[in-house]
Amino acid sequence: MSIRQTARIVLFTFIFCAGAAWQLSAAYFSKVPIYGGEVHDMALCPSSPTVIYTCGSYGGVWVSTDAGETWRTTGFYDTPTSGTGAGITGGATHLAVHASSPNVVVASQFGSFANKVFRSEDYGQTWEETGNSEIYSQNVNVKRIVASEKTAGAFYLLGNSFSASDGVLYKSADSGKTWTKFTNFTTGNKAAWNLAVDKNDILYVLAIDAAPVPDLCGTCPRSGRLFKSSDGIVWSTKTFSSVSSYLAASSNTVAASGDNSVYISTDNGQNFVTKSGAVGAVAVSTDGWKVYASYSNKVWVSSFTGSAWSDFTAVSSGLLGGTRTIEASVLAIDPLTPSNIYLSDKQQDAFFKSTDTAVTWRKSNNGLGGLIVYDGCEDPAGNLYILGLHGVFKSTDTGANWQEVFNSTANFEKGIIAAPATSYVYASGSVYASGSFGYLWRSADGGTTWTNPLSIANRLPANKIVFRKDNPAIGYAAFYHSDPTGATSDKYIYKTSDYGANWTALNLTGYSVQALAIDQNNPTVLYAGLGDLHPTQNTNYYSYGGLWKIIDDGANPASWSQVGLTDTIPYRIVIDSSSYIIVSLIEQSDPTPYKYNRPAKYSMDNGATWTKITAKDKGLETGPNDIEYSSGVYYLAVEDGVYATGNIMSSFELIAHKKDIGSPRCLIVGSMYTGADRGFYKLDWAPKAFTEHLDKAKVYAFPNPFNPSKSERAIFKYFVPQGNTANWIRISVYNIAAELVYDKTENVTMNGGTAYYFAWDGTNNSGEKCAEGVYIVMFSSNLNSAKTKVVLVR
């Protein structure tokens, strides 16, 4: 083992300090507030309509008690499920609130197959599982939950039973505690899609002409039928040539969305008229004389004039989602104050509110932390950028405040973002218009204005955008084909030499590029993970290209060579400061459906040999969603949470669990953050184990020298000697003239043999930048003192 390798094992860690120059390692993660998200259902209490609940497939359930002005997270995500004791996996897809008791709410667990059902009697603080034998054990996928306005405590639940291949309907007469199936109800092996209950407890069920199978999507609008019953025993049926998934009923009026039209009935579903000009989520006014519909980022209205329904006309004065298309999951009208209308958005904006009968709208997301962060980055000045589903958000104050700087029709679910130099930002996403296009957008002014210098047909978003640290004008973007059987003569790596203003395809053909990394110690070297894949269980859709090394942009055939991991698809690559290679990959030998066993491996000899990465409590079987290396610490984002280690040769430690943050989607280097299903989190972790026997306290510094202008912080590792306990510690920083520039005292208990970590960002007690030079750092405690030197450069 080399001296550099040995030093790396001793000197490893990183911790970010927000709001102060120093901070002791405490909690491993903390949530950074950014509000919005993908909301899939909404329900308000008719008797107390200031109480509103929303839910998301990943984020759980939120509640507002002030008509959507502020929100808080409920305890849904942390609820134990029967027989396991584990938290609910995923969030919630459907919910309903008791008509006269706003504290009582029923919700279904997210999942594409069978769903568990839960209820709460304390505004969502605690939850209990219900209907397990009647619903979950019968493989029922819940499609809608509705509370009766007429009968107190009555709830209805619509779903598809995959065991019976039929739509099923249940009723609870005791606020969701027990459930009874309507045995006379059947959709005739069609897919149940939506449920509405009017003020007289008349039941309406919308079904589409498709078999009720798991993951049924992309099927609407299509032909369908509406089932109606006043007692759940006798049912009548109406057929439609085209229906979508939206249904509403109030008084005698029923409305169902079709293909660019809405079907409206004023006689309890006996007869319908078709009104064109709107489609989407629908709501019926309390008196039944108006139908509202969301369409094309506006809210439209059709009114009954006494003899006929008017055509739909836009009532909202502006676009709700800006240039981005919103997808309303629910429109809801306050029955006590009908001028208050609410809209929940499946895409990104979560919740809109109007107080003037849908004319003007505003986002009202304070506390509604359901934004899924798909990727993010930090520029050299410390500005943060993250990708939502359809937009780019920026923070200039470490996440305290956010501004949406790019609003797009593009889909960033599989997108990537990079900011290699201050002011320069790059984002990649997909645009579906007459085929799939991989787009790359560029901003040269910190996100104020954006251009589109690169768009490629038949591509999905760039898998990676990387830039050279020694010359951030030079960068590379790696794309992959939208069709896994695409021609091997295509080119997938593009290069820029002018900060992304222009891009040129490298003359390298073959498989799609799933991952890309630059060896910053030798920035003429690129590593690429090659292969094609498709989200299907059919392994014939996988083509395995392995790991390749590119020298000098592949200008000569000899500079484009495979360096290992044949019969794999490397989909994440990281090169650390010692040029060690860390990858996560799909293996041809993996027998599981969807290739779930995706190991992470590392090589310390340029790819000649590989070692599998393990964790202390499990083997990371599901494979990382992301891998990063920052200031001596390695991070893995996997389905169960975030893992970290300071030594690549040791096991990884779980530092943020899925039940607390949701499944992490990405890792952000610099001041280390993770974007997850439940929002955005700062990671504050450092390993604490130390086995060397010490007779007196010691302190180490790394990196040394350090450059705060490049987002580096000096990391200090302080060891307490065995058999001793430090009850407090004081950190003092002196310049070469012995002048005190920074000091801080912490009251802590530190046992012997334990290492603690501190980070200095190069500022003084006033938060001002310290000058270049040598600084003496003194650690004092009730035991003794230890000191070291560190060099600050800019």
Side-chain angles (χ1 to χ4, degrees):
M1 182 177 293
S2 68
I3 294 176
R4 186 164 84 172
Q5 291 171 345
T6 303
R8 291 180 68 256
I9 295 172
V10 174
L11 300 172
F12 55 82
T13 190
F14 172 79
I15 183 170
F16 170 64
C17 306
W22 298 85
Q23 180 175 320
L24 285 169
S25 177
Y28 292 160
F29 61 90
S30 57
K31 188 162 188 176
V32 178
I34 178 168
Y35 301 131
E38 302 168 30
V39 171
H40 287 254
D41 203 358
M42 169 180 56
L44 57 84
C45 178
S47 64
S48 303
T50 57
V51 178
I52 307 173
Y53 292 86
T54 60
C55 67
S57 295
Y58 298 102
V61 176
W62 298 271
V63 62
S64 172
T65 57
D66 54 8
E69 292 299 316
T70 59
W71 298 85
R72 66 170 176 81
T73 302
T74 71
F76 184 84
Y77 210 99
D78 303 319
T79 301
T81 57
S82 61
T84 64
I88 295 173
T89 57
T93 49
H94 302 285
L95 53 75
V97 58
H98 195 290
S100 57
S101 299
N103 56 300
V104 178
V105 59
V106 177
S108 62
Q109 172 194 11
F110 167 67
S112 59
F113 199 69
N115 303 130
K116 292 189 175 184
V117 179
F118 298 84
R119 65 184 301 275
S120 172
E121 294 184 351
D122 55 8
Y123 293 92
Q125 285 296 102
T126 59
W127 297 80
E128 62 176 344
E129 190 176 348
T130 179
N132 189 288
S133 59
E134 300 90 347
I135 301 170
Y136 180 73
S137 64
Q138 300 302 311
N139 293 323
V140 174
N141 179 253
V142 178
K143 299 302 296 183
R144 189 74 171 145
I145 307 173
V146 178
S148 169
E149 292 188 42
K150 179 180 179 181
T151 306
F155 283 77
Y156 298 89
L157 183 149
L158 177 72
N160 290 304
S161 171
F162 298 137
S163 296
S165 189
D166 199 6
V168 289
L169 183 64
Y170 296 84
K171 179 180 179 179
S172 172
D174 53 10
S175 301
K177 294 178 181 178
T178 60
W179 296 87
T180 302
K181 182 180 178 182
F182 285 95
T183 56
N184 282 17
F185 175 76
T186 177
T187 58
N189 302 118
K190 305 301 181 182
W193 214 243
N194 207 334
L195 168 69
V197 182
D198 70 11
K199 292 184 177 181
N200 297 313
D201 274 358
I202 297 178
L203 306 173
Y204 300 92
V205 173
L206 190 65
I208 62 171
D209 290 334
V213 296
D215 297 319
L216 179 64
C217 59
T219 57
C220 284
R222 63 165 59 191
S223 60
R225 58 201 69 195
L226 181 71
F227 299 87
K228 171 193 168 184
S229 176
S230 59
D231 57 10
I233 299 174
V234 179
W235 293 84
S236 60
T237 307
K238 294 286 292 186
T239 59
F240 298 99
S241 60
S242 175
V243 295
S244 65
S245 58
Y246 299 104
L247 179 69
S250 181
S251 298
N252 297 321
T253 302
V254 184
S257 289
D259 183 7
N260 198 34
S261 60
V262 177
Y263 304 103
I264 305 175
S265 170
T266 53
D267 56 7
N268 298 116
Q270 297 298 317
N271 300 282
F272 284 85
V273 296
T274 303
K275 307 307 296 183
S276 60
V279 64
V282 290
V284 179
S285 63
T286 304
D287 58 14
W289 301 126
K290 291 182 183 293
V291 174
Y292 295 87
S294 65
Y295 175 66
S296 190
N297 283 31
K298 292 185 177 182
V299 173
W300 304 65
V301 66
S302 174
S303 302
F304 191 73
T305 60
S307 59
W309 286 90
S310 66
D311 291 331
F312 275 95
T313 57
V315 62
S316 57
S317 59
L319 298 177
L320 272 72
T323 60
R324 174 181 59 253
T325 300
I326 66 167
E327 183 180 357
S329 53
V330 177
L331 266 176
I333 301 172
D334 184 332
L336 302 185
T337 310
S339 59
N340 291 344
I341 303 180
Y342 310 101
L343 182 149
S344 56
D345 179 28
K346 291 182 182 180
Q347 297 293 311
Q348 178 179 287
D349 293 320
F351 189 81
F352 290 90
K353 177 178 181 177
S354 172
T355 57
D356 55 8
T357 322
V359 176
T360 60
W361 293 82
R362 61 182 172 87
K363 296 178 189 177
S364 189
N365 296 328
N366 185 21
L368 208 165
L371 186 75
I372 299 175
V373 178
Y374 293 99
D375 196 36
C377 63
E378 183 180 20
D379 73 12
N383 299 312
L384 293 169
Y385 298 88
I386 62 172
L387 288 182
L389 187 61
H390 294 290
V392 177
F393 296 83
K394 178 181 180 180
S395 174
T396 59
D397 52 10
T398 64
N401 297 280
W402 294 88
Q403 177 187 4
E404 188 174 13
V405 295
F406 186 43
N407 182 301
S408 174
T409 58
N411 186 306
F412 290 120
E413 184 174 0
K414 297 181 179 179
I416 202 81
I417 190 166
T422 302
S423 298
Y424 288 96
V425 192
Y426 310 85
S428 180
S430 288
V431 175
Y432 299 95
S434 300
S436 175
F437 284 78
Y439 271 66
L440 190 148
W441 288 270
R442 168 185 183 262
S443 174
D445 53 13
T448 302
T449 59
W450 294 80
T451 59
N452 173 220
L454 186 60
S455 60
I456 314 170
N458 300 318
R459 297 292 190 275
L460 292 174
N463 271 311
K464 197 68 176 180
I465 308 170
V466 294
F467 287 83
R468 290 173 54 161
K469 288 185 177 180
D470 65 329
N471 184 359
I474 299 176
Y476 302 86
F479 290 83
Y480 63 109
H481 210 288
S482 60
D483 178 1
T485 61
T488 59
S489 61
D490 290 349
K491 299 174 182 179
Y492 297 98
I493 301 178
Y494 290 75
K495 178 183 179 181
T496 180
S497 299
D498 56 6
Y499 290 99
N502 298 280
W503 296 82
T504 303
L506 298 189
N507 192 29
L508 304 167
T509 61
Y511 298 106
S512 294
V513 178
Q514 302 293 337
L516 196 66
I518 295 176
D519 184 351
Q520 298 294 351
N521 293 315
N522 186 0
T524 62
V525 175
L526 283 172
Y527 287 92
L530 303 189
D532 286 286
L533 57 108
H534 193 271
T536 175
Q537 294 187 34
N538 188 340
T539 55
N540 292 329
Y541 281 95
Y542 292 85
S543 299
Y544 303 89
L547 181 68
W548 290 72
K549 183 178 182 180
I550 308 168
I551 301 175
D552 297 327
D553 298 335
N556 300 308
S559 64
W560 174 243
S561 59
Q562 191 172 29
V563 295
L565 301 175
T566 57
D567 299 326
T568 72
I569 305 174
Y571 63 91
R572 288 289 186 274
I573 306 172
V574 168
I575 313 296
D576 74 4
S577 59
S578 292
S579 297
Y580 297 167
I581 309 171
I582 305 96
V583 300
S584 55
L585 45 88
I586 299 170
E587 295 180 310
Q588 187 174 12
S589 59
D590 181 4
T592 63
Y594 298 99
K595 300 290 182 179
Y596 280 129
N597 295 334
R598 302 182 175 189
K601 297 183 178 182
Y602 68 90
S603 174
M604 302 170 66
D605 52 14
N606 299 312
T609 59
W610 294 88
T611 302
K612 184 178 180 180
I613 291 174
T614 61
K616 290 181 179 180
D617 58 343
K618 61 189 303 183
L620 302 172
E621 291 86 354
T622 56
N625 294 325
D626 203 1
I627 303 175
E628 289 295 356
Y629 170 80
S630 179
S631 297
V633 175
Y634 304 86
Y635 298 86
L636 300 178
V638 302
E639 185 71 18
D640 290 337
V642 178
Y643 290 75
T645 186
N647 180 3
I648 193 63
M649 292 179 287
S650 65
S651 295
F652 278 65
E653 177 182 342
L654 181 64
I655 65 171
H657 196 277
K658 175 181 178 178
K659 70 180 181 64
D660 297 312
I661 68 171
S663 293
R665 301 290 185 107
C666 64
L667 293 163
I668 300 170
V669 298
S671 300
M672 281 322 297
Y673 296 83
T674 183
D677 288 344
R678 297 180 67 187
F680 191 53
Y681 295 83
K682 183 179 71 173
L683 300 175
D684 290 334
W685 177 87
K688 297 181 180 179
F690 186 68
T691 57
E692 176 185 346
H693 182 80
L694 297 175
D695 295 323
K696 61 180 181 178
K698 285 187 177 182
V699 62
Y700 298 94
F702 177 84
N704 194 5
F706 77 106
N707 187 343
S709 299
K710 294 184 177 181
S711 298
E712 292 180 352
R713 291 164 174 80
I715 311 302
F716 297 92
K717 187 174 183 178
Y718 175 76
F719 298 102
V720 177
Q722 279 85 350
N724 294 274
T725 299
N727 298 318
W728 57 270
I729 185 170
R730 181 182 181 185
I731 309 105
S732 305
V733 183
Y734 299 88
N735 61 21
I736 199 66
E739 297 171 331
L740 180 67
V741 297
Y742 180 81
D743 72 325
K744 183 178 182 68
T745 300
E746 294 281 355
N747 294 318
V748 296
T749 300
M750 299 182 293
N751 297 319
T754 305
Y756 285 82
Y757 295 83
F758 308 87
W760 184 39
D761 60 4
T763 61
N764 61 20
N765 281 329
S766 300
E768 300 168 334
K769 294 180 180 179
C770 293
E772 290 186 319
V774 177
Y775 290 84
I776 295 127
V777 183
M778 178 78 71
F779 291 80
S780 305
S781 71
N782 57 298
L783 300 176
N784 55 17
S785 299
K787 64 182 178 180
T788 189
K789 293 180 181 178
V790 66
V791 178
L792 187 158
V793 297
R794 295 191 185 275

